[in-house]
Amino acid sequence: MSSYGDPKPGDVIDGRYQLIEEIGRGGHGLVFKAHDQDKSTDVALKILNQNVSDDPQYTVRLWREAQSLGALWGQSVVQVYGFGTDANGFVYLAMELLHGDTLSNHLSDLELFGDRMSTFSVLEAIDPVARALHTAHTKGIIHRDVKPANIILLYPEVGGGTRLMDFGLAKVQGSMALTQAGMVAGSPSYIAPEIWRAQPFDHRIDVYSLAAVVYRALAGHPPFSGDSLVDILMAATMGPRPRVHHLRPELPEEIDGWLERALAVDVGKRYPYISSMWNELIRLVMSGAGPSADKAREAFSLPS
């Protein structure tokens, strides 16, 4: 392990990226706004913590994130500029610097005042994420951590749009497993039942998680909650599926059947693909009533 201290504003990483300010941190690393001195532009630089950078699995995980994002650029995921290790042992990933807010913060701000996103706004915000996940799955990439905090809504002044973030837990088909037996990867309110049960999984865990995000946006709270992880686990794996029609009467009653299938405990009863799940939701919104249905009919088209 390098004895070099934690990175701080003013440091230059790999002789190129000058750190400006910390903009995020997690259990395994920090994210800085940094200036790329070679290209005279600002970037987001994710740097592994010194206490994990010598653990090969975390370096591989960051590399996989770089590979996944690179393979999906153009599909509403954050753009990757570079990956490397500098002379001081810092393992880093240089990415597009986004100017926006997380869907999680956006929803929390609305819910603070008892408000929720319109159904059309939900479609508009999450459609790019659904498309990115569909493409990821066709390339053998499973995100594994789809949640509101990993969805960025770009500010209108920079053109708007949506970006899907953080492929740090992504599983790439044919690659070795990085999560140890007994460990649960993901965020509790959006984890598919098969993950809780430590069962084999495939891309349908992303189908479940995206449906849980949709529910949160429509209902104003996650589909399953509780005072402890055990409570959430029990609700997600054994409890009744949530309903939303009573909260969103502008949607047809079939929306509750959509949730029943999209959040099915039995993987075989779940929508088989992101595309089939998402197209069915668009159809339901289009068949509803009110301004959101009108806007959806104008903005979206479905395969015949």
Side-chain angles (χ1 to χ4, degrees), residues 271-283:
Y271 285 99
Y273 304 108
I274 286 282
S275 56
S276 55
M277 179 268 280
W278 189 248
N279 286 336
E280 178 63 8
L281 178 62
I282 292 173
R283 185 191 70 78

Side-chain angles (χ1 to χ4, degrees), residues 93-125:
L93 175 62
M95 303 175 290
E96 173 187 16
L97 181 65
L98 300 178
H99 299 280
D101 200 6
T102 65
L103 178 61
S104 179
N105 286 343
H106 180 67
L107 292 174
S108 294
D109 288 345
L110 290 174
E111 292 155 10
L112 188 63
F113 295 96
D115 203 358
R116 295 187 299 269
M117 295 177 74
S118 72
T119 52
F120 176 74
S121 295
V122 173
L123 285 189
E124 188 177 42

Side-chain angles (χ1 to χ4, degrees), residues 143-188:
H143 189 284
R144 292 212 298 168
D145 197 18
V146 178
K147 60 183 179 181
N150 282 337
I151 297 171
I152 305 295
L153 306 179
L154 301 180
Y155 295 135
E157 52 266 34
V158 294
T162 306
R163 293 282 192 276
L164 176 61
M165 296 282 293
D166 203 346
F167 278 73
L169 291 178
K171 175 162 177 33
V172 181
Q173 186 174 7
S175 62
M176 69 176 183
L178 292 177
T179 305
Q180 298 175 4
M183 290 181 63
V184 175
S187 300

Side-chain angles (χ1 to χ4, degrees), residues 3-18:
S3 60
Y4 195 73
D6 288 338
K8 60 186 182 302
D11 289 348
V12 177
I13 303 298
D14 209 10
R16 175 173 179 174
Y17 302 102
Q18 184 170 27

Side-chain angles (χ1 to χ4, degrees), residues 223-278:
F224 304 104
S225 58
D227 295 330
S228 68
L229 283 178
V230 172
D231 291 339
I232 298 174
L233 183 157
M234 296 296 288
T237 59
M238 301 178 65
R241 301 300 91 177
R243 298 183 176 275
V244 78
H245 175 67
H246 65 291
L247 297 173
R248 307 305 293 251
E250 72 273 17
L251 289 168
E253 291 184 7
E254 294 97 314
I255 188 64
D256 289 337
W258 179 86
L259 282 168
E260 186 84 20
R261 186 176 181 189
L263 297 174
V265 174
D266 183 344
V267 177
K269 295 180 179 178
R270 201 176 299 161
Y271 285 99
Y273 304 108
I274 286 282
S275 56
S276 55
M277 179 268 280
W278 189 248

Side-chain angles (χ1 to χ4, degrees), residues 9-113:
D11 289 348
V12 177
I13 303 298
D14 209 10
R16 175 173 179 174
Y17 302 102
Q18 184 170 27
L19 304 184
I20 298 173
E21 62 177 330
E22 182 182 323
I23 56 176
R25 70 168 53 218
H28 300 136
L30 306 170
V31 181
F32 283 88
K33 177 182 179 180
H35 185 69
D36 182 345
Q37 297 176 331
D38 288 2
K39 294 189 175 181
S40 297
T41 188
D42 290 341
V43 301
L45 203 70
K46 178 183 284 189
I47 305 173
L48 287 182
N49 286 339
Q50 289 284 284
N51 63 336
V52 302
S53 60
D54 284 350
D55 186 333
Q57 78 157 316
Y58 292 108
T59 300
V60 171
R61 185 166 283 165
L62 194 64
W63 170 238
R64 281 194 194 165
E65 181 174 6
Q67 285 183 307
S68 298
L69 291 170
L72 295 172
W73 174 239
Q75 295 292 327
S76 295
V77 299
V78 63
Q79 186 174 8
V80 168
Y81 300 136
F83 173 88
T85 304
D86 82 347
N88 293 308
F90 288 125
V91 181
Y92 68 86
L93 175 62
M95 303 175 290
E96 173 187 16
L97 181 65
L98 300 178
H99 299 280
D101 200 6
T102 65
L103 178 61
S104 179
N105 286 343
H106 180 67
L107 292 174
S108 294
D109 288 345
L110 290 174
E111 292 155 10
L112 188 63
F113 295 96

